[in-house]
Amino acid sequence: MKFYIVDVFAEEKYQGNQLAVIVPDRKLSTAEMQQIAKEINFSETSFIVSGKQNNGGYDVRIFTPDVEVPFAGHPSLGTSYVINKIIDRHDNTKIILNLKVGQIPLSINGDRLTMNQNKPEFGMIIKKSAVADVLNIKQEDIRIDYPVQLVSTGLPCVIVPLKSLDAVKRCSINHDKFKDFIEAYYKCNLLVFSEEGENEIRVRVFMDDPGFLEDPATGSANGNLAGYLLEYNFFNKNTINIIANQGHEINRPSRINIMAEKTNETFHIQVGGKVHLVAKGEWL
């Protein structure tokens, strides 16, 4: 089988979020795909399990080292890059992925890919004290004018609005408290953010997988954040075009374009960035 390693939401190689894309030469069982994802041990590994289908999309499955996930942002962009540049080898302006959550369309403009995300669903509002303990920050670091809330456009996360860039930088996970949080509320990632200059925000995402590692670039979570920002009129307008800077605290700087609009109760959310091919080879 051929495999490719790409860096997603990266302005240059060795930045952004790593992804392994596997192109099977035979039918793989779910168990074997999970074993391969565990062997690679990136935050996600994707498998292109079909050619172009009658519905126009490519069947794709996405695995963390421990579980299959129905949708994820940087695997969607990275997989589409491999399909467009290596498998299809056409100057496509659109790629469609058939994922567990349904069809996800992506547009291509030069070296930049942009993904449409599903309508956000807004879940429970969570006590600020609960996440402050998990993040090792003070409750006073969390904004009181916006809620701490579960949001999902396909893969849920809890969004935590912080008062300052300094508060974002000071976050560190208390593993025991995170385990307690998951048992009490919901098993999902935590996203913290604050404003960072004009039309830019700083984002960090802490993962609920074993070890509670930090993710360098998270397309799905930033799509959730886009819905949140519009729902609560964070920028006092119903259309936003901003940059999310993520991964700086773990030396994998990422740049994520967020373009979103809300008209009445209809959301249109796009998340995009650059992808760089880093390596390719043969899986034995």
Side-chain angles (χ1 to χ4, degrees):
M1 299 183 291
K2 299 294 184 183
F3 75 90
Y4 304 89
I5 295 175
V6 292
D7 289 337
V8 184
F9 297 120
E11 293 298 297
E12 302 175 6
K13 287 198 301 184
Y14 315 127
Q15 297 181 358
N17 207 343
Q18 303 148 304
L19 175 73
V21 182
I22 308 292
V23 185
D25 58 358
R26 58 182 173 81
K27 186 174 181 179
L28 299 178
S29 67
T30 296
E32 188 171 0
M33 284 188 273
Q34 186 65 75
Q35 287 176 316
I36 292 171
K38 183 72 171 179
E39 180 75 15
I40 294 169
N41 208 35
F42 288 169
S43 59
E44 278 110 359
T45 296
S46 69
F47 296 82
I48 303 171
V49 296
S50 81
K52 194 171 186 178
Q53 300 295 290
N54 291 334
N55 62 11
Y58 292 79
D59 295 344
V60 172
R61 297 178 70 177
I62 302 170
F63 290 79
T64 75
D66 298 288
V67 296
E68 184 174 8
V69 293
F71 167 72
H74 92 272
S76 296
L77 264 71
T79 304
S80 296
Y81 176 91
V82 170
I83 290 171
N84 186 57
K85 300 293 185 182
I86 298 171
I87 295 177
D88 231 5
R89 294 187 179 181
H90 295 305
D91 290 327
N92 294 318
T93 58
K94 184 177 180 180
I95 295 288
I96 299 173
L97 302 184
N98 300 327
L99 302 179
K100 294 286 187 179
V101 295
Q103 286 200 318
I104 298 294
L106 294 97
S107 58
I108 302 165
N109 184 5
D111 60 356
R112 188 172 301 278
L113 289 87
T114 303
M115 167 182 60
N116 291 329
Q117 293 194 201
N118 293 333
K119 178 181 177 180
E121 297 179 357
F122 297 92
M124 69 179 77
I125 292 176
I126 294 167
K127 294 186 297 184
K128 292 175 173 59
S129 59
V131 292
D133 289 343
V134 173
L135 295 165
N136 280 317
I137 57 175
K138 297 178 181 179
Q139 191 171 333
E140 292 74 22
D141 289 318
I142 302 173
R143 296 182 66 148
I144 62 173
D145 48 348
Y146 298 97
V148 174
Q149 189 170 18
L150 180 71
V151 183
S152 178
T153 58
L155 195 65
C157 71
V158 170
I159 293 177
V160 185
L162 299 185
K163 292 180 179 179
S164 67
L165 180 59
D166 174 68
V168 172
K169 291 179 178 180
R170 283 190 282 108
C171 289
S172 63
I173 290 294
N174 181 314
H175 289 197
D176 290 335
K177 293 289 186 181
F178 202 172
K179 291 176 183 177
D180 294 341
F181 176 88
I182 287 171
E183 291 179 2
Y185 293 98
Y186 198 90
K187 188 180 188 301
C188 66
N189 299 340
L190 290 179
L191 180 151
V192 302
F193 79 96
S194 73
E195 294 183 82
E196 185 186 21
E198 185 176 359
N199 294 321
E200 294 195 12
I201 55 176
R202 178 65 68 90
V203 172
R204 296 179 72 181
V205 175
F206 300 98
M207 303 171 68
D208 66 339
D209 286 344
F212 303 126
L213 301 177
E214 183 172 351
D215 204 29
T218 321
S220 58
N222 278 284
N224 299 342
L225 177 59
Y228 175 98
L229 296 173
L230 289 172
E231 178 72 6
Y232 294 106
N233 201 26
F234 189 88
F235 290 105
N236 297 312
K237 51 188 177 182
N238 61 4
T239 300
I240 59 174
N241 188 346
I242 61 174
I243 299 295
N245 297 307
Q246 190 180 335
H248 289 262
E249 290 76 13
I250 55 173
N251 297 316
R252 294 285 303 193
S254 306
R255 189 172 176 88
I256 302 170
N257 300 95
I258 298 176
M259 298 148 286
E261 180 179 7
K262 181 185 178 186
T263 304
N264 297 322
E265 293 304 311
T266 300
F267 291 82
H268 182 62
I269 296 173
Q270 293 183 311
V271 172
K274 294 182 179 180
V275 180
H276 294 275
L277 179 65
V278 175
K280 59 183 178 180
E282 182 178 2
W283 196 267
L284 302 178

